[in-house]
Amino acid sequence: MMILTGTKQGHPSLFPVSVSANASSMPMLPTSSRLKYVSLGVLVLQTTSLVLTMRYSRTLHSEDPRYLASSAVVCAEVLKIVACLLLVFRDQSFSVRALNGVLKEEIINKPLLTLKLAVPSGIYTLQNNLLYVALSNLDAATYQVTYQLKILTTALFSVSMLGKRLGIYQWLSLVILMAGIALVQQWPTEVTSIAPQKDLTASSQLMGLLAVLVACFSSGFAGVYFEKILKESKQSVWVRNIQLGLFGLIFGLVGVFVYDGERVRENGLFQGYNNVTWAVVALQALGGLVIAAVIKFADNILKGFATSISIILSTLISYFFLEDFDPTSVFFLGAMLVIAATFLYGYESTPKPGQPQ
Ligand code: C5P
């Protein structure tokens, strides 16, 4: 797996940083860099497992009604909040009193900051709905390629909102990444061409495209906004995630009642759930935790690269283990471009002595 590290200025780099402050002959990584490696690695694994589990869940045939996506979103949100509460509890040396103190101080006594988190939370809810519209109107290949544009919007928001500076090689790496992803994404077209195609009218294609384009902007904005809040505050990422999750839960419950209220009254919130559904819910909750950690310890742009690598990984697993994918030379070219882009992005941000970033 590719190793992503950080520079001392907090900018991402792909090459190990020798820590001169330690004056050690063995290159040692600071804890924040180790956390960056670990969080990015786990994100690659989580995204890959989620894609494969979802694909597996789609191939399962069942007599029962299908589970409600809105209910799965709420369950994942609850699981995420519980996991974050346990992490804060651990950080407070398992003292219930200290846990109460932190929650009161950070959530109840800081209503403005708590309200600030309603912004990314509301945008994420909108985004999840937009992606549903996009997926209902576009084929999987077009959807995946177009949604990778979020890496570019994320870079634009990082530059404008966080004052991040990207060098010419980094911009170039973003362009190469987009080209690589576009080539890699050729494969679902081959897969879907075997399956019966849904007749997609031009207007529904346009609607799907608009939805995914708006989702690219919302993903970039919400991610960078959350990064700004996290990097401006000393409080643990888990406390902020509880705040984000609480709003997510409220918006999610509204979604359940608006979209699926009737069905919930008829067959309950957990209709159609099976072990695979719970696995998807758990992986989605884990995703929320890992994404928060990646945003804190790495950044949103590297998050985009990590998910691109996971697209390649899940495709390779499809080929070697599931044997439902026959890669072409175009796929390999695309994969090489993505890996090259990842290295190029890190190369430029390696600090040069005395050069401001
Ligand atoms: O596509 P994108 O990377 O923007 O998706 C981010 C997803 O991660 C959203 O579905 C959002 O709900 C979720 N998320 C989360 N917790 C965070 C940040 C994002 O659950 N702290």
Side-chain angles (χ1 to χ4, degrees), residues 202-216:
S203 66
S204 80
Q205 285 261 12
L206 184 66
M207 169 113 129
L209 201 60
L210 277 178
V212 82
L213 286 178
V214 176
C216 286

Side-chain angles (χ1 to χ4, degrees), residues 231-351:
K231 291 185 174 165
E232 274 172 5
S233 87
K234 288 197 179 69
Q235 231 344 299
S236 98
V237 56
W238 311 124
V239 173
R240 298 289 163 252
N241 230 25
I242 292 171
Q243 288 167 299
L244 192 77
L246 285 175
F247 285 110
L249 183 59
I250 296 168
F251 292 132
L253 282 172
V254 171
V256 168
F257 289 104
V258 170
Y259 293 120
D260 295 315
E262 195 65 33
R263 269 173 279 191
V264 170
R265 271 187 288 278
E266 276 166 20
N267 293 311
L269 193 62
F270 299 107
Q271 57 185 288
Y273 269 58
N274 55 32
N275 289 342
V276 185
T277 318
W278 284 114
V280 170
V281 165
L283 281 168
Q284 258 165 348
L286 176 69
L289 299 183
V290 181
I291 284 176
V294 163
I295 292 176
K296 172 83 178 177
F297 301 116
D299 68 24
N300 267 295
I301 305 177
L302 277 174
K303 165 176 149 277
F305 279 100
T307 44
S308 304
I309 290 170
S310 86
I311 292 176
I312 294 175
L313 195 61
S314 57
T315 311
L316 289 177
I317 293 175
S318 283
Y319 172 65
F320 286 111
F321 298 102
L322 307 179
E323 295 176 358
D324 60 354
F325 163 60
D326 193 10
T328 59
S329 47
V330 175
F331 171 80
F332 282 112
L333 178 65
M336 298 280 288
L337 285 181
V338 171
I339 292 165
T342 313
F343 273 99
L344 188 62
Y345 182 87
Y347 175 73
E348 174 66 7
S349 57
T350 305

Side-chain angles (χ1 to χ4, degrees), residues 77 80 124 127-128 147 150 219 226 241 244 288 291-292 295 303:
E77 218 61 70
K80 221 171 63 181
Y124 277 138
Q127 177 182 323
N128 292 337
Y147 196 38
K150 70 181 176 178
S219 166
F226 188 61
N241 230 25
L244 192 77
I291 284 176
I295 292 176
K303 165 176 149 277

Side-chain angles (χ1 to χ4, degrees), residues 51 139-149 181 185 187-188 311:
V51 168
D139 65 90
T142 314
Y143 160 77
Q144 280 187 294
V145 180
T146 321
Y147 196 38
Q148 288 305 312
L149 270 176
I181 287 294
Q185 298 295 318
W187 65 271
I311 292 176

Side-chain angles (χ1 to χ4, degrees), residues 20-344:
S20 51
N22 286 353
S24 162
S25 55
M26 282 286 288
M28 290 265 298
L29 289 172
T31 311
S32 63
S33 282
R34 272 205 308 273
L35 288 171
K36 187 185 288 186
Y37 289 143
V38 172
S39 59
L40 282 165
V42 175
L43 181 62
V44 171
L45 294 181
Q46 179 271 335
T47 314
T48 310
S49 338
L50 183 62
V51 168
L52 295 174
T53 316
M54 278 185 147
R55 187 184 299 183
Y56 175 67
S57 75
R58 279 205 302 269
T59 60
L60 275 182
H61 295 290
S62 168
E63 304 281 293
D64 301 329
R66 257 179 67 179
Y67 71 89
L68 306 172
S70 60
S71 137
V73 168
V74 166
C75 286
E77 218 61 70
V78 171
L79 207 59
K80 221 171 63 181
I81 295 172
V82 171
C84 289
L85 281 172
L86 288 174
L87 287 164
V88 178
F89 189 41
R90 188 206 56 181
D91 288 349
Q92 299 303 318
S93 314
F94 300 101
S95 153
V96 178
R97 223 184 132 124
L99 174 69
N100 273 335
V102 168
L103 296 181
K104 202 170 158 206
E105 175 65 25
E106 289 298 322
I107 300 176
I108 300 168
N109 292 353
K110 289 186 182 161
L112 274 183
L113 181 63
T114 302
L115 266 180
K116 251 179 150 180
L117 280 145
V119 176
S121 182
I123 292 175
Y124 277 138
T125 310
L126 173 80
Q127 177 182 323
N128 292 337
N129 284 295
L130 280 172
L131 293 180
Y132 176 78
V133 176
L135 265 172
S136 317
N137 292 290
L138 289 177
D139 65 90
T142 314
Y143 160 77
Q144 280 187 294
V145 180
T146 321
Y147 196 38
Q148 288 305 312
L149 270 176
K150 70 181 176 178
I151 298 178
L152 212 60
T153 56
T154 302
L156 295 177
F157 282 116
S158 299
V159 169
S160 58
M161 289 167 63
L162 298 174
K164 200 171 280 253
R165 289 195 207 165
L166 300 184
I168 183 79
Y169 290 120
Q170 286 176 308
W171 286 114
L172 187 64
S173 78
L174 288 169
V175 175
I176 295 175
L177 176 87
M178 305 311 300
I181 287 294
L183 291 179
V184 167
Q185 298 295 318
Q186 297 286 321
W187 65 271
T189 317
E190 287 160 26
V191 173
T192 47
S193 65
I194 303 164
Q197 279 276 340
K198 212 175 125 190
D199 189 22
L200 297 169
T201 63
S203 66
S204 80
Q205 285 261 12
L206 184 66
M207 169 113 129
L209 201 60
L210 277 178
V212 82
L213 286 178
V214 176
C216 286
F217 277 91
S218 83
S219 166
F221 178 79
V224 173
Y225 189 96
F226 188 61
E227 182 176 346
K228 199 168 153 65
I229 292 178
L230 280 186
K231 291 185 174 165
E232 274 172 5
S233 87
K234 288 197 179 69
Q235 231 344 299
S236 98
V237 56
W238 311 124
V239 173
R240 298 289 163 252
N241 230 25
I242 292 171
Q243 288 167 299
L244 192 77
L246 285 175
F247 285 110
L249 183 59
I250 296 168
F251 292 132
L253 282 172
V254 171
V256 168
F257 289 104
V258 170
Y259 293 120
D260 295 315
E262 195 65 33
R263 269 173 279 191
V264 170
R265 271 187 288 278
E266 276 166 20
N267 293 311
L269 193 62
F270 299 107
Q271 57 185 288
Y273 269 58
N274 55 32
N275 289 342
V276 185
T277 318
W278 284 114
V280 170
V281 165
L283 281 168
Q284 258 165 348
L286 176 69
L289 299 183
V290 181
I291 284 176
V294 163
I295 292 176
K296 172 83 178 177
F297 301 116
D299 68 24
N300 267 295
I301 305 177
L302 277 174
K303 165 176 149 277
F305 279 100
T307 44
S308 304
I309 290 170
S310 86
I311 292 176
I312 294 175
L313 195 61
S314 57
T315 311
L316 289 177
I317 293 175
S318 283
Y319 172 65
F320 286 111
F321 298 102
L322 307 179
E323 295 176 358
D324 60 354
F325 163 60
D326 193 10
T328 59
S329 47
V330 175
F331 171 80
F332 282 112
L333 178 65
M336 298 280 288
L337 285 181
V338 171
I339 292 165
T342 313
F343 273 99
L344 188 62

